[in-house]
Amino acid sequence: MSGAALGIEIVVVFFLALFLLHRYADFRKQQRMVLFGTLLAWYLCFLIVFILPLDISTTIYKQCKIDHEEHPAVLPVTPLLSNQTAGNSTMATATKSVLKVCYKPWSYIPDGIMPVFWRVVYWTSQCLTWLLLPFMQSYARSGGFSITGKIKTALIENAIYYGTYLLIFGSLLIYVAVHPQWHLSWYELQTIGITAANTWGLFLLVLLLGYGLVEIPRSYWNASRRGHLLIKTYFKAAKLMTEKADAQENLEDVMEEVRKVQESIKYNHPLRKYIDTVLRKCPVDYQEKMGRNMDDYEDFDDKQNTYPSEKSLVKLHKQVIYAVQRHNRTRVQWLILLQQAMHLEDVAKNETSSAHQFVRSFPSTEPTSWLSRYFYTPTVEWYWECLLRHWFYRLLAVVLSLFSVAVVWSECTFFSTRPVLSLFAVFIQLAERDYNYLYIEMACFITIFFLCTCVYSTVFRIRVFNYYYLASHHQTDAYSLQFSGMLFCRLTPPLCLNFLGLIHMDSAISHQLKEQTAYTSIMGSMRVLSFIANGFYIYYPMLILLLCIATYFSLGTRCLNLLGFQQFVGDNEMTSDLIDEGKELIRREKRKLQRIEDGENRRREWKERYGNTREDTARNRIRNEAAEMTETNYSDTVPNTRQAKYSRTGRGTERDSIELLQDAEPLDFNAETLSDDPLEAGSTRHVPGRYLSMSSSRSRIFDDV
């Protein structure tokens, strides 16, 4: 098994990253470079999480061999029987030096492999997160029409990030250069760069971890409370609808500017190719509307009209990209939230059902797998959703709370080595005595995975970062994918380094002369910068305790609510108003879906009822035309022929009218003109947020005019 475990995990992690990327990204629509960059970033971060436990078990085995060679254990041995003299048997006690046995782990990795592996993984991930992914994000958002223009814009936008990183690196470099005892070398410069990146990551890591350690267990506990999650979903719906309306209005304003520009710049204008590029970024329905109003047969005249410059078109192109991205983001988030709200309402209705069969208000839009059809039946779904799920979430919340308490305690006490106060260090040392390598690897993996979940989920929970989202079923946009890859690469290395400090496997923090892991050796000795190794890395994580207390009492949420930002606070009048508004929005969307479903059912029933009648009518028409052709007398005079022609046309018109009557289908009433309030039935007030010129009836009637 020498090195086999490493190779197996490398392959398995690759397919895991590819599977998750296929779940969140759309391979057919998104660019190949975006998919490749995101896949590489996710793959490298997953490798760090999965391979680090193997590095830890291998290091423990190496430390055992070092102790075995330097301090062999002397154990008592049973007395030996000596037969040196004939007839006399004497018992001689002797001692024999028995060396302590070190068991090799099943996932042992030979020497020389892990340093090269960590060096490639770490530096590739750092190049991605600090150089390539930010540049790719800015390049994709740039409004330039040429590769040179996009590159220039991307470099200008990323100058602030690169400048901040160079400022931190330069400050540490000056500090080391001024110090009289240190002489700069390539190894020390490399260590300073790694220290700067880890310092930035640890600073953000503690802030996010302090929020996630409390919010994740509390979210599962609140999900176990009946009705609480539904009320919070109503609140989110009201806020998201406001953002969705703003995005729609912004998109319409930008499309209006595009329409004016494309009408002024004709087909033979030098800037027309830029307009075509902008139009390709617009939604399809807007492209069709603008295409119907184009008069490209007219030549442009430089003397009569004023045309926009290329710089203004670049700005307009960027506005179109941002407006379309924001509109798509809010639309996808609204669909996800609507499905969640309807599912929670179905759960609330089915809880009082005596049939123990889960009934949905609307059929699920997600494709059902064979596992769901045969095992996850309506009966099983009812028992899970209405009975077992609440207790499972409560148990999970309790387990996660205990895990969070252990993390907070260990973060505040991991610098103490005598006595050992860090709970994770105690567990690893107990398993180390029995050489239980499987337990060590599983405990390390679960702990790192929990820390990563607390950190990464916090980014997508906080309202400030709502600009990015991860939506399943191929609904995540390219910018969110790149942001997630960039964030994972920045936070995973310092998180793993912090975990090594929790289990006392980092000598720079624990100050113990023990065998270093290959991961720590790549990071370099933090003793080059003593004020960071002995100060910041040890005492700054203690801030997690204060952040957890503030998150538990929702101090940040209450402060934002006082400043005017709408937050979910239970005892607030604004929160109650938004909950009522969200409930009404969900009801309105459900009525629309119900009317659409009823219309489709009526059309289906009409086709099933009158489908045979249409076929009979077509057969009769063909039979009558054949009979008329055989009865036509070519010897008749011209007036008779003309009369026969007109009579034949009249019969055809009559048949066409009969066919039109038979093809008629019931009309669905307009959903937006019907109000639930009878007092508003006679009012002529239009539905807010919809222009008369954008109504479906007018666009369908006058499309051909």
Side-chain angles (χ1 to χ4, degrees):
M1 293 297 292
S2 178
L6 178 62
I8 293 174
E9 289 203 4
I10 289 175
V11 176
V12 171
V13 169
F14 174 77
F15 285 104
L16 175 62
L18 186 63
F19 169 76
L20 293 177
L21 184 63
H22 178 266
R23 178 177 176 82
Y24 289 100
D26 192 348
F27 286 177
R28 294 175 296 178
K29 296 182 180 180
Q30 291 171 349
Q31 299 178 358
R32 295 294 180 266
M33 290 302 299
V34 173
L35 296 175
F36 177 75
T38 306
L39 176 62
L40 184 59
W42 288 12
Y43 177 54
L44 294 177
C45 293
F46 292 165
L47 278 179
I48 296 176
V49 175
F50 279 84
I51 303 300
L52 185 61
L54 305 184
D55 190 9
I56 293 174
S57 62
T58 302
T59 304
I60 292 176
Y61 171 71
K62 292 179 180 179
Q63 181 64 38
C64 177
K65 291 179 63 178
I66 293 175
D67 296 339
H68 166 84
E69 295 174 357
E70 295 181 354
H71 306 286
V74 180
L75 300 178
V77 182
T78 54
L80 299 176
L81 181 62
S82 177
N83 293 325
Q84 295 179 356
T85 57
N88 295 326
S89 62
T90 60
M91 302 293 297
T93 60
T95 60
K96 183 179 180 181
S97 297
V98 180
L99 298 179
K100 184 180 179 181
V101 180
C102 296
Y103 298 98
K104 181 183 292 187
W106 68 277
S107 58
Y108 175 75
I109 301 173
D111 296 339
I113 296 179
M114 289 308 298
V116 177
F117 174 81
W118 285 129
R119 190 174 290 108
V120 173
V121 169
Y122 178 77
W123 288 112
T124 305
S125 64
Q126 293 305 300
C127 291
L128 281 174
T129 186
W130 294 107
L131 298 176
L132 296 181
L133 289 179
F135 181 81
M136 291 172 60
Q137 271 192 322
S138 302
Y139 183 88
R141 292 181 185 176
S142 174
F145 298 101
S146 62
I147 298 178
T148 306
K150 290 185 177 182
I151 292 176
K152 181 180 178 180
T153 305
L155 291 177
I156 294 175
E157 290 183 356
N158 286 274
I160 183 172
Y161 299 104
Y162 299 147
T164 304
Y165 186 68
L166 291 176
L167 179 62
I168 297 175
F169 180 78
S171 301
L172 297 177
L173 183 63
I174 294 174
Y175 175 80
V176 174
V178 172
H179 203 282
Q181 297 180 355
W182 294 334
H183 300 283
L184 290 179
S185 62
W186 171 248
Y187 175 77
E188 293 175 350
L189 289 176
Q190 179 181 349
T191 303
I192 293 173
I194 296 175
T195 303
N198 290 334
T199 302
W200 188 95
L202 184 62
F203 176 78
L204 185 60
L205 178 69
V206 171
L207 298 179
L208 299 176
L209 192 60
Y211 179 86
L213 289 174
V214 176
E215 192 61 29
I216 289 182
R218 183 162 57 185
S219 64
Y220 281 103
W221 181 263
N222 291 332
S224 66
R225 298 166 53 188
R226 300 181 185 274
H228 180 272
L229 192 57
L230 181 59
I231 293 174
K232 193 170 184 180
T233 305
Y234 289 149
F235 176 83
K236 292 180 179 179
K239 291 183 61 178
L240 186 58
M241 176 54 71
T242 304
E243 186 178 358
K244 185 173 179 290
D246 293 339
Q248 179 67 29
E249 183 178 357
N250 183 30
L251 179 63
E252 291 178 356
D253 294 340
V254 175
M255 291 298 105
E256 181 65 21
E257 295 182 7
V258 174
R259 184 189 63 81
K260 293 179 180 179
V261 173
Q262 72 97 18
E263 288 180 355
S264 63
I265 299 180
K266 302 304 179 181
Y267 72 99
N268 53 352
H269 194 280
L271 298 178
R272 183 63 197 183
K273 58 181 180 179
Y274 299 150
I275 296 298
D276 295 337
T277 303
V278 174
L279 289 176
R280 284 194 294 268
K281 300 295 179 63
C282 299
V284 179
D285 52 349
Y286 288 99
Q287 292 183 22
E288 294 176 353
K289 293 177 182 178
M290 295 177 187
R292 290 194 296 265
N293 298 327
M294 288 178 62
D295 296 329
D296 276 356
Y297 57 85
E298 298 180 1
D299 295 335
F300 75 97
D301 188 359
D302 293 334
K303 299 180 180 179
Q304 295 180 0
N305 299 327
T306 57
Y307 298 100
S309 61
E310 183 179 354
K311 186 176 181 181
S312 61
L313 291 180
V314 170
K315 183 178 180 181
L316 180 62
H317 188 197
K318 187 174 182 179
Q319 291 177 355
V320 169
I321 294 174
Y322 174 76
V324 173
Q325 176 199 354
R326 185 185 177 193
H327 177 263
N328 294 335
R329 173 179 61 85
T330 54
R331 180 182 59 83
V332 171
Q333 289 179 339
W334 173 254
L335 293 177
I336 294 174
L337 192 63
L338 180 62
Q339 293 178 1
Q340 182 182 0
M342 291 191 297
H343 176 73
L344 293 175
E345 289 181 348
D346 292 340
V347 172
K349 292 179 181 178
N350 284 275
E351 285 178 349
T352 57
S353 175
S354 58
H356 295 178
Q357 295 282 334
F358 195 86
V359 180
R360 297 180 180 272
S361 301
F362 300 96
S364 178
T365 57
E366 302 177 3
T368 57
S369 60
W370 64 272
L371 185 63
S372 300
R373 289 195 299 267
Y374 293 102
F375 295 98
Y376 197 63
T377 60
T379 303
V380 176
E381 187 176 4
W382 186 90
Y383 277 102
W384 167 250
E385 295 289 347
C386 303
L387 189 62
L388 300 177
R389 190 171 188 172
H390 304 285
W391 295 105
F392 175 76
Y393 277 5
R394 289 187 180 183
L395 179 61
L396 183 60
V398 172
V399 173
L400 293 178
S401 299
L402 296 177
F403 224 110
S404 298
V405 172
V407 170
V408 174
W409 172 264
S410 301
E411 290 285 356
C412 296
T413 59
F414 73 94
F415 59 89
S416 177
T417 56
R418 295 182 181 179
V420 179
L421 299 178
S422 176
L423 297 179
F424 297 104
V426 172
F427 297 152
I428 296 300
Q429 290 178 5
L430 290 177
E432 183 180 351
R433 296 176 183 176
D434 299 331
Y435 302 103
N436 194 346
Y437 295 110
L438 181 61
Y439 170 81
I440 293 173
E441 294 171 1
M442 292 301 300
C444 293
F445 173 75
I446 293 174
T447 305
I448 297 174
F449 181 77
F450 175 73
L451 295 177
C452 293
T453 304
C454 292
V455 173
Y456 300 147
S457 62
T458 301
V459 178
F460 298 99
R461 285 173 180 264
I462 298 178
R463 181 64 180 85
V464 178
F465 295 98
N466 199 33
Y467 185 80
Y468 301 97
Y469 67 99
L470 287 178
S472 58
H473 306 291
H474 321 290
Q475 297 294 330
T476 308
D477 58 6
Y479 309 102
S480 299
L481 291 174
Q482 291 174 341
F483 176 78
S484 64
M486 183 173 58
L487 187 73
F488 293 169
C489 290
R490 291 188 183 183
L491 295 180
T492 303
L495 186 145
C496 293
L497 190 63
N498 178 258
F499 171 74
L500 291 176
L502 294 180
I503 62 176
H504 293 175
M505 296 290 290
D506 187 1
S507 61
I509 298 176
S510 61
H511 301 287
Q512 294 180 346
L513 297 178
K514 297 177 64 176
E515 180 69 15
Q516 294 288 311
T517 61
Y519 184 82
T520 308
S521 63
I522 296 303
M523 289 296 175
S525 178
M526 299 303 169
R527 294 172 184 174
V528 176
L529 302 174
S530 59
F531 72 96
I532 292 181
N534 299 329
F536 183 80
Y537 279 4
I538 292 178
Y539 298 104
Y540 179 72
M542 296 181 184
L543 186 62
I544 290 180
L545 179 60
L546 299 179
L547 294 174
C548 290
I549 295 175
T551 305
Y552 179 79
F553 292 102
S554 303
L555 297 181
T557 302
R558 297 181 185 276
C559 292
L560 291 175
N561 191 42
L562 292 176
L563 294 176
F565 297 95
Q566 299 170 353
Q567 300 294 322
F568 184 77
V569 181
D571 53 351
N572 192 1
E573 182 179 358
M574 183 182 297
T575 303
S576 302
D577 295 340
L578 288 176
I579 290 174
D580 296 337
E581 181 182 352
K583 187 183 299 184
E584 185 61 30
L585 289 173
I586 299 300
R587 288 177 182 174
R588 187 182 305 171
E589 293 293 333
K590 291 181 68 176
R591 287 196 296 267
K592 289 181 181 180
L593 293 177
Q594 187 64 45
R595 286 193 288 267
I596 294 173
E597 185 177 359
D598 293 342
E600 292 178 354
N601 292 333
R602 287 196 299 270
R603 293 186 183 93
R604 190 181 303 108
E605 292 177 359
W606 187 271
K607 291 180 181 179
E608 292 176 356
R609 181 180 302 177
Y610 297 102
N612 296 328
T613 305
R614 294 179 184 177
E615 295 178 359
D616 295 339
T617 303
R619 294 193 193 98
N620 292 332
R621 184 195 307 171
I622 296 173
R623 190 180 299 111
N624 293 333
E625 291 178 354
E628 290 175 359
M629 292 296 294
T630 56
E631 294 176 357
T632 302
N633 188 3
Y634 294 98
S635 63
D636 292 343
T637 60
V638 175
N640 293 334
T641 306
R642 185 177 303 171
Q643 183 179 1
K645 186 188 297 182
Y646 284 116
S647 64
R648 189 160 56 247
T649 306
R651 288 194 299 269
T653 305
E654 183 179 358
R655 286 194 301 271
D656 293 339
S657 63
I658 294 174
E659 182 184 357
L660 288 174
L661 290 175
Q662 291 175 350
D663 289 343
E665 295 182 356
L667 299 177
D668 297 333
F669 58 90
N670 191 357
E672 297 176 353
T673 59
L674 182 63
S675 175
D676 296 335
D677 192 355
L679 297 178
E680 298 180 358
S683 175
T684 60
R685 180 175 62 86
H686 300 288
V687 179
R690 188 175 182 87
Y691 298 99
L692 292 177
S693 61
M694 300 290 289
S695 62
S696 59
S697 60
R698 293 191 178 186
S699 61
R700 291 177 183 174
I701 293 175
F702 296 102
D703 280 348
D704 298 332
V705 177

